[in-house]
Amino acid sequence: MGKRRNQRVARSRLQDWLPRLQHPRIYLQRHAQVALDSLGRMYRNPLPSLMTAAVIGIALALPSSLYLLLDNLHRMSGSWDGQASLSVFLKEKVPAAQRDALAGRIRAWEEVASLQVITPEQALDEFSTHSGFSTALEALDENPLPAVLVVVPQTAHTGPAAAEALQKKIKLLPEVELAQLDLAWVQRLNAMIEIARRGILLISALLALAVLLVIGNTIRLEIQNRHDEIVVTKLIGATNPFVRRPFLYSGLWYGLLGALLAWLLVSAGFWLLAEPVAALAGLYQSDFTLQTLPLVTLGVLLACGTLLGLLGSWLAVGRHLSAIEPS
Amino acid sequence: MIRFTNVSKRYPGGFEALTNISFHMEKGAMAFLTGHSGAGKSTLLKLIALIERCTRGQIFLDGENVSDIHRRRIPYIRRKIGFIFQDHHLLYDRTVYDNVALPLVIAGYRHQDIGRRVRAALDKLGLLSKERMYPITLSGGEQQRVGIARAVVNKPMLLLADEPTGNLDPDLSREIMQLFGLFNEVGVSVLIATHDVELIHSMDYPVLALDHGRLAATAEDYA
Ligand SMILES: Nc1ncnc2c1ncn2[C@@H]1O[C@H](COP(=O)(O)OP(=O)(O)O)[C@@H](O)[C@H]1O
Ligand SMILES: [Mg+2]
């Protein structure tokens, strides 16, 4: 008896669904229409819609730009990683001939991959072109800068311990004033980047939650505003998915619009930063340029926004829509 | 078409609005549902449209037992019924055309079919010239006719009307009742709740009379 009933219910459910299976085009057409309707509804109330989208945009722009900054930092430190080097400052009174002999000796060490000599004249030259102190430097009658040997260790000796051993060995040479391991602060920077990455992850999670709440609240208000309409459509045979659909599309549009705004904000911010960063990179003799959102990241941003919008409205709809039943 | 067997409805507050109702209305029949205010007329119609669920007994619609039907199937049952509400329940931010088209949109009709059917329904109710207007700009009688057009546009097999002439003057009321008669003539089953005794007596249809939630007279008594 129960089985017969189940069969009958299954059959009638199939009959309910049959039109949808038979006419997928109509089904898709209806989706497109609802999507456009939801967009039109936002367009007819431009100010509140834009405000919601702007809040979402700012909330998404914050973690995106932080992430992007971090990515650039990482790229920057990464470009130094491979050529972890020792800057060896020589004592002031070391004559040029002794300096070159020393350079030749160190170059011959098995730990050393390459060595570059920066004479005091070269150093002064560079410093005056990049620092903006050229006139001040001209006022000096004597070059205050020491000669520097830039020592790049063999790859086997770039590890922290080996590099430090090399540093100690060089420090013991009588001509040497100071041997600075550039690797140390690269490592420190990397450690900090790792901490920042976690921090950003946390901030992203919190802001994603904020986006969910903003969209959820917007959709809740929209449901309230359309309470009577929901009741009427349910009275004349609308299914829950039918009633749900326009609100889900609203959420989707809000998320997408917010993500697009976020992208605009981030792009504008980085455009403003690009020039000073290029100048700074010039100071460090680097051809580093600030990288704005690559297309893949833009895709991820848009997808995240859309998904958050959909999820936020889904939650709101689930909480508030089922409570509305005609009576 | 409609069969009630020992149906009772107790509202959450504990008030029993209908007690032990049994009756049968044939397919293609037309009948009136009467009774004093508070007798349970609206409740009975709501049980049929599954807006309220009965607390005891069984309700059959077109042979299908709907008294313990799953919530998810309710919309599909409602699509077989045209419900006309006393307070119209129109959407006031949509045109007459869009209001009437709504049941077809919900049921997933093709765009072209929707236009054809909506115009046919509007034509039948003399509203063709008003299709671009908003309900708020129409008179009470016209709004009621929009509600009727929306109820019949989907070609339902059953029409339920709750006090459809409640706010209308006698001439308009008679006109609307005659409209229901026309739908009935093409095979639609019609059940009309009204307390307008004069109107009932002037028309020759069976009457279900409710009194404090109990059935005082069945359709057979008037047949
Ligand atoms: N949702 C409800 N909750 C509690 N009592 C209700 C509800 N709806 C109706 N009633 C009560 O049920 C009785 C029948 O109401 P109704 O069916 O509307 O009568 P009618 O339509 O004949 O005037 C009334 O006494 C009314 O107060
Ligand atoms: Mg009533």
PDB file of all heavy atoms in Angstrom, chain A residues 124-150:
ATOM      1  N   LEU A 124      80.409  56.442  -5.865  1.00  0.00           N
ATOM      2  CA  LEU A 124      80.043  57.848  -5.767  1.00  0.00           C
ATOM      3  C   LEU A 124      79.161  58.258  -6.940  1.00  0.00           C
ATOM      4  O   LEU A 124      78.157  58.956  -6.783  1.00  0.00           O
ATOM      5  CB  LEU A 124      81.316  58.705  -5.744  1.00  0.00           C
ATOM      6  CG  LEU A 124      81.071  60.206  -5.560  1.00  0.00           C
ATOM      7  CD1 LEU A 124      80.497  60.462  -4.177  1.00  0.00           C
ATOM      8  CD2 LEU A 124      82.359  60.994  -5.772  1.00  0.00           C
ATOM      9  N   ASP A 125      79.560  57.772  -8.103  1.00  0.00           N
ATOM     10  CA  ASP A 125      78.820  58.060  -9.332  1.00  0.00           C
ATOM     11  C   ASP A 125      77.355  57.661  -9.197  1.00  0.00           C
ATOM     12  O   ASP A 125      76.432  58.438  -9.449  1.00  0.00           O
ATOM     13  CB  ASP A 125      79.449  57.267 -10.473  1.00  0.00           C
ATOM     14  CG  ASP A 125      79.716  58.163 -11.648  1.00  0.00           C
ATOM     15  OD1 ASP A 125      79.967  59.365 -11.402  1.00  0.00           O
ATOM     16  OD2 ASP A 125      79.640  57.673 -12.791  1.00  0.00           O
ATOM     17  N   GLU A 126      77.174  56.422  -8.813  1.00  0.00           N
ATOM     18  CA  GLU A 126      75.833  55.870  -8.675  1.00  0.00           C
ATOM     19  C   GLU A 126      75.027  56.623  -7.627  1.00  0.00           C
ATOM     20  O   GLU A 126      73.882  56.971  -7.816  1.00  0.00           O
ATOM     21  CB  GLU A 126      75.931  54.417  -8.219  1.00  0.00           C
ATOM     22  CG  GLU A 126      75.495  53.444  -9.280  1.00  0.00           C
ATOM     23  CD  GLU A 126      75.946  52.062  -8.887  1.00  0.00           C
ATOM     24  OE1 GLU A 126      75.715  51.706  -7.713  1.00  0.00           O
ATOM     25  OE2 GLU A 126      76.536  51.384  -9.739  1.00  0.00           O
ATOM     26  N   PHE A 127      75.714  56.844  -6.515  1.00  0.00           N
ATOM     27  CA  PHE A 127      75.026  57.476  -5.402  1.00  0.00           C
ATOM     28  C   PHE A 127      74.544  58.866  -5.799  1.00  0.00           C
ATOM     29  O   PHE A 127      73.406  59.246  -5.520  1.00  0.00           O
ATOM     30  CB  PHE A 127      75.976  57.556  -4.203  1.00  0.00           C
ATOM     31  CG  PHE A 127      75.278  57.972  -2.938  1.00  0.00           C
ATOM     32  CD1 PHE A 127      74.258  57.191  -2.417  1.00  0.00           C
ATOM     33  CD2 PHE A 127      75.632  59.143  -2.285  1.00  0.00           C
ATOM     34  CE1 PHE A 127      73.611  57.566  -1.251  1.00  0.00           C
ATOM     35  CE2 PHE A 127      74.981  59.523  -1.124  1.00  0.00           C
ATOM     36  CZ  PHE A 127      73.960  58.730  -0.604  1.00  0.00           C
ATOM     37  N   SER A 128      75.404  59.604  -6.499  1.00  0.00           N
ATOM     38  CA  SER A 128      74.995  60.963  -6.822  1.00  0.00           C
ATOM     39  C   SER A 128      73.887  60.979  -7.877  1.00  0.00           C
ATOM     40  O   SER A 128      73.036  61.861  -7.863  1.00  0.00           O
ATOM     41  CB  SER A 128      76.188  61.803  -7.264  1.00  0.00           C
ATOM     42  OG  SER A 128      76.788  61.196  -8.382  1.00  0.00           O
ATOM     43  N   THR A 129      73.873  60.011  -8.785  1.00  0.00           N
ATOM     44  CA  THR A 129      72.787  60.040  -9.777  1.00  0.00           C
ATOM     45  C   THR A 129      71.458  59.630  -9.151  1.00  0.00           C
ATOM     46  O   THR A 129      70.411  60.123  -9.537  1.00  0.00           O
ATOM     47  CB  THR A 129      73.057  59.118 -10.972  1.00  0.00           C
ATOM     48  OG1 THR A 129      73.502  57.860 -10.492  1.00  0.00           O
ATOM     49  CG2 THR A 129      74.079  59.707 -11.912  1.00  0.00           C
ATOM     50  N   HIS A 130      71.477  58.702  -8.207  1.00  0.00           N
ATOM     51  CA  HIS A 130      70.213  58.166  -7.688  1.00  0.00           C
ATOM     52  C   HIS A 130      69.734  58.836  -6.418  1.00  0.00           C
ATOM     53  O   HIS A 130      68.551  58.784  -6.103  1.00  0.00           O
ATOM     54  CB  HIS A 130      70.342  56.656  -7.450  1.00  0.00           C
ATOM     55  CG  HIS A 130      70.346  55.874  -8.720  1.00  0.00           C
ATOM     56  ND1 HIS A 130      69.278  55.875  -9.583  1.00  0.00           N
ATOM     57  CD2 HIS A 130      71.296  55.098  -9.295  1.00  0.00           C
ATOM     58  CE1 HIS A 130      69.557  55.123 -10.625  1.00  0.00           C
ATOM     59  NE2 HIS A 130      70.790  54.643 -10.478  1.00  0.00           N
ATOM     60  N   SER A 131      70.630  59.430  -5.647  1.00  0.00           N
ATOM     61  CA  SER A 131      70.200  59.885  -4.330  1.00  0.00           C
ATOM     62  C   SER A 131      69.656  61.298  -4.330  1.00  0.00           C
ATOM     63  O   SER A 131      68.930  61.677  -3.435  1.00  0.00           O
ATOM     64  CB  SER A 131      71.358  59.814  -3.339  1.00  0.00           C
ATOM     65  OG  SER A 131      72.342  60.760  -3.720  1.00  0.00           O
ATOM     66  N   GLY A 132      70.056  62.085  -5.329  1.00  0.00           N
ATOM     67  CA  GLY A 132      69.641  63.479  -5.310  1.00  0.00           C
ATOM     68  C   GLY A 132      70.551  64.336  -4.446  1.00  0.00           C
ATOM     69  O   GLY A 132      70.284  65.503  -4.212  1.00  0.00           O
ATOM     70  N   PHE A 133      71.627  63.746  -3.970  1.00  0.00           N
ATOM     71  CA  PHE A 133      72.558  64.515  -3.133  1.00  0.00           C
ATOM     72  C   PHE A 133      73.760  64.990  -3.936  1.00  0.00           C
ATOM     73  O   PHE A 133      74.792  65.332  -3.379  1.00  0.00           O
ATOM     74  CB  PHE A 133      73.078  63.649  -1.968  1.00  0.00           C
ATOM     75  CG  PHE A 133      72.056  63.464  -0.894  1.00  0.00           C
ATOM     76  CD1 PHE A 133      71.644  62.187  -0.509  1.00  0.00           C
ATOM     77  CD2 PHE A 133      71.505  64.560  -0.243  1.00  0.00           C
ATOM     78  CE1 PHE A 133      70.716  62.014   0.486  1.00  0.00           C
ATOM     79  CE2 PHE A 133      70.566  64.380   0.761  1.00  0.00           C
ATOM     80  CZ  PHE A 133      70.164  63.116   1.122  1.00  0.00           C
ATOM     81  N   SER A 134      73.645  64.992  -5.259  1.00  0.00           N
ATOM     82  CA  SER A 134      74.825  65.212  -6.100  1.00  0.00           C
ATOM     83  C   SER A 134      75.523  66.525  -5.769  1.00  0.00           C
ATOM     84  O   SER A 134      76.740  66.573  -5.667  1.00  0.00           O
ATOM     85  CB  SER A 134      74.448  65.156  -7.574  1.00  0.00           C
ATOM     86  OG  SER A 134      73.375  66.024  -7.808  1.00  0.00           O
ATOM     87  N   THR A 135      74.734  67.591  -5.569  1.00  0.00           N
ATOM     88  CA  THR A 135      75.396  68.881  -5.292  1.00  0.00           C
ATOM     89  C   THR A 135      76.097  68.849  -3.945  1.00  0.00           C
ATOM     90  O   THR A 135      77.211  69.362  -3.793  1.00  0.00           O
ATOM     91  CB  THR A 135      74.385  70.030  -5.312  1.00  0.00           C
ATOM     92  OG1 THR A 135      73.210  69.614  -4.637  1.00  0.00           O
ATOM     93  CG2 THR A 135      74.041  70.435  -6.735  1.00  0.00           C
ATOM     94  N   ALA A 136      75.459  68.198  -2.977  1.00  0.00           N
ATOM     95  CA  ALA A 136      76.072  68.105  -1.664  1.00  0.00           C
ATOM     96  C   ALA A 136      77.395  67.330  -1.754  1.00  0.00           C
ATOM     97  O   ALA A 136      78.389  67.682  -1.109  1.00  0.00           O
ATOM     98  CB  ALA A 136      75.129  67.417  -0.694  1.00  0.00           C
ATOM     99  N   LEU A 137      77.383  66.279  -2.570  1.00  0.00           N
ATOM    100  CA  LEU A 137      78.581  65.450  -2.711  1.00  0.00           C
ATOM    101  C   LEU A 137      79.697  66.219  -3.402  1.00  0.00           C
ATOM    102  O   LEU A 137      80.871  66.054  -3.093  1.00  0.00           O
ATOM    103  CB  LEU A 137      78.238  64.183  -3.487  1.00  0.00           C
ATOM    104  CG  LEU A 137      77.408  63.167  -2.688  1.00  0.00           C
ATOM    105  CD1 LEU A 137      76.855  62.106  -3.602  1.00  0.00           C
ATOM    106  CD2 LEU A 137      78.237  62.552  -1.580  1.00  0.00           C
ATOM    107  N   GLU A 138      79.301  67.063  -4.362  1.00  0.00           N
ATOM    108  CA  GLU A 138      80.309  67.852  -5.069  1.00  0.00           C
ATOM    109  C   GLU A 138      81.049  68.767  -4.108  1.00  0.00           C
ATOM    110  O   GLU A 138      82.220  69.089  -4.297  1.00  0.00           O
ATOM    111  CB  GLU A 138      79.652  68.687  -6.176  1.00  0.00           C
ATOM    112  CG  GLU A 138      79.621  67.956  -7.513  1.00  0.00           C
ATOM    113  CD  GLU A 138      78.649  68.597  -8.470  1.00  0.00           C
ATOM    114  OE1 GLU A 138      78.454  69.825  -8.399  1.00  0.00           O
ATOM    115  OE2 GLU A 138      78.054  67.849  -9.269  1.00  0.00           O
ATOM    116  N   ALA A 139      80.344  69.190  -3.063  1.00  0.00           N
ATOM    117  CA  ALA A 139      80.947  70.113  -2.109  1.00  0.00           C
ATOM    118  C   ALA A 139      82.083  69.453  -1.320  1.00  0.00           C
ATOM    119  O   ALA A 139      82.960  70.126  -0.789  1.00  0.00           O
ATOM    120  CB  ALA A 139      79.881  70.628  -1.151  1.00  0.00           C
ATOM    121  N   LEU A 140      82.058  68.119  -1.236  1.00  0.00           N
ATOM    122  CA  LEU A 140      83.128  67.417  -0.527  1.00  0.00           C
ATOM    123  C   LEU A 140      84.391  67.391  -1.402  1.00  0.00           C
ATOM    124  O   LEU A 140      84.309  67.157  -2.604  1.00  0.00           O
ATOM    125  CB  LEU A 140      82.698  65.980  -0.210  1.00  0.00           C
ATOM    126  CG  LEU A 140      81.462  65.828   0.687  1.00  0.00           C
ATOM    127  CD1 LEU A 140      81.011  64.376   0.716  1.00  0.00           C
ATOM    128  CD2 LEU A 140      81.771  66.313   2.090  1.00  0.00           C
ATOM    129  N   ASP A 141      85.554  67.577  -0.774  1.00  0.00           N
ATOM    130  CA  ASP A 141      86.753  67.550  -1.614  1.00  0.00           C
ATOM    131  C   ASP A 141      87.263  66.122  -1.738  1.00  0.00           C
ATOM    132  O   ASP A 141      88.130  65.816  -2.527  1.00  0.00           O
ATOM    133  CB  ASP A 141      87.877  68.444  -1.058  1.00  0.00           C
ATOM    134  CG  ASP A 141      87.542  69.013   0.305  1.00  0.00           C
ATOM    135  OD1 ASP A 141      86.422  69.547   0.418  1.00  0.00           O
ATOM    136  OD2 ASP A 141      88.345  68.899   1.249  1.00  0.00           O
ATOM    137  N   GLU A 142      86.695  65.218  -0.950  1.00  0.00           N
ATOM    138  CA  GLU A 142      87.246  63.873  -0.934  1.00  0.00           C
ATOM    139  C   GLU A 142      86.095  62.877  -1.011  1.00  0.00           C
ATOM    140  O   GLU A 142      85.029  63.118  -0.445  1.00  0.00           O
ATOM    141  CB  GLU A 142      87.993  63.673   0.378  1.00  0.00           C
ATOM    142  CG  GLU A 142      89.078  62.644   0.333  1.00  0.00           C
ATOM    143  CD  GLU A 142      89.770  62.583   1.695  1.00  0.00           C
ATOM    144  OE1 GLU A 142      90.194  63.644   2.195  1.00  0.00           O
ATOM    145  OE2 GLU A 142      89.815  61.497   2.249  1.00  0.00           O
ATOM    146  N   ASN A 143      86.287  61.771  -1.711  1.00  0.00           N
ATOM    147  CA  ASN A 143      85.248  60.739  -1.815  1.00  0.00           C
ATOM    148  C   ASN A 143      85.139  60.005  -0.485  1.00  0.00           C
ATOM    149  O   ASN A 143      86.083  59.353  -0.054  1.00  0.00           O
ATOM    150  CB  ASN A 143      85.627  59.767  -2.934  1.00  0.00           C
ATOM    151  CG  ASN A 143      84.546  58.738  -3.146  1.00  0.00           C
ATOM    152  OD1 ASN A 143      83.577  58.684  -2.398  1.00  0.00           O
ATOM    153  ND2 ASN A 143      84.723  57.919  -4.164  1.00  0.00           N
ATOM    154  N   PRO A 144      83.975  60.086   0.188  1.00  0.00           N
ATOM    155  CA  PRO A 144      83.855  59.439   1.498  1.00  0.00           C
ATOM    156  C   PRO A 144      83.522  57.954   1.385  1.00  0.00           C
ATOM    157  O   PRO A 144      83.444  57.265   2.402  1.00  0.00           O
ATOM    158  CB  PRO A 144      82.683  60.200   2.133  1.00  0.00           C
ATOM    159  CG  PRO A 144      81.822  60.591   0.986  1.00  0.00           C
ATOM    160  CD  PRO A 144      82.736  60.789  -0.211  1.00  0.00           C
ATOM    161  N   LEU A 145      83.267  57.469   0.199  1.00  0.00           N
ATOM    162  CA  LEU A 145      82.764  56.094   0.068  1.00  0.00           C
ATOM    163  C   LEU A 145      83.910  55.086  -0.043  1.00  0.00           C
ATOM    164  O   LEU A 145      84.909  55.355  -0.703  1.00  0.00           O
ATOM    165  CB  LEU A 145      81.868  55.984  -1.162  1.00  0.00           C
ATOM    166  CG  LEU A 145      80.623  56.858  -1.127  1.00  0.00           C
ATOM    167  CD1 LEU A 145      79.873  56.760  -2.442  1.00  0.00           C
ATOM    168  CD2 LEU A 145      79.730  56.466   0.028  1.00  0.00           C
ATOM    169  N   PRO A 146      83.725  53.918   0.606  1.00  0.00           N
ATOM    170  CA  PRO A 146      84.751  52.883   0.526  1.00  0.00           C
ATOM    171  C   PRO A 146      84.551  52.027  -0.721  1.00  0.00           C
ATOM    172  O   PRO A 146      83.510  52.115  -1.378  1.00  0.00           O
ATOM    173  CB  PRO A 146      84.485  52.055   1.782  1.00  0.00           C
ATOM    174  CG  PRO A 146      83.013  52.174   1.993  1.00  0.00           C
ATOM    175  CD  PRO A 146      82.589  53.511   1.450  1.00  0.00           C
ATOM    176  N   ALA A 147      85.542  51.223  -1.041  1.00  0.00           N
ATOM    177  CA  ALA A 147      85.371  50.242  -2.122  1.00  0.00           C
ATOM    178  C   ALA A 147      84.545  49.073  -1.573  1.00  0.00           C
ATOM    179  O   ALA A 147      84.610  48.756  -0.388  1.00  0.00           O
ATOM    180  CB  ALA A 147      86.728  49.743  -2.588  1.00  0.00           C
ATOM    181  N   VAL A 148      83.768  48.478  -2.455  1.00  0.00           N
ATOM    182  CA  VAL A 148      82.914  47.368  -2.029  1.00  0.00           C
ATOM    183  C   VAL A 148      83.140  46.175  -2.945  1.00  0.00           C
ATOM    184  O   VAL A 148      83.224  46.332  -4.170  1.00  0.00           O
ATOM    185  CB  VAL A 148      81.421  47.766  -2.076  1.00  0.00           C
ATOM    186  CG1 VAL A 148      80.550  46.614  -1.620  1.00  0.00           C
ATOM    187  CG2 VAL A 148      81.159  48.989  -1.215  1.00  0.00           C
ATOM    188  N   LEU A 149      83.242  45.002  -2.344  1.00  0.00           N
ATOM    189  CA  LEU A 149      83.277  43.775  -3.144  1.00  0.00           C
ATOM    190  C   LEU A 149      81.935  43.077  -2.954  1.00  0.00           C
ATOM    191  O   LEU A 149      81.535  42.807  -1.821  1.00  0.00           O
ATOM    192  CB  LEU A 149      84.395  42.841  -2.668  1.00  0.00           C
ATOM    193  CG  LEU A 149      85.801  43.427  -2.538  1.00  0.00           C
ATOM    194  CD1 LEU A 149      86.770  42.340  -2.082  1.00  0.00           C
ATOM    195  CD2 LEU A 149      86.244  44.022  -3.861  1.00  0.00           C
ATOM    196  N   VAL A 150      81.254  42.827  -4.056  1.00  0.00           N
ATOM    197  CA  VAL A 150      79.983  42.106  -3.944  1.00  0.00           C
ATOM    198  C   VAL A 150      80.267  40.645  -4.240  1.00  0.00           C
ATOM    199  O   VAL A 150      80.591  40.278  -5.366  1.00  0.00           O
ATOM    200  CB  VAL A 150      78.929  42.665  -4.914  1.00  0.00           C
ATOM    201  CG1 VAL A 150      77.639  41.880  -4.780  1.00  0.00           C
ATOM    202  CG2 VAL A 150      78.693  44.141  -4.629  1.00  0.00           C
TER     203      VAL A 150
END
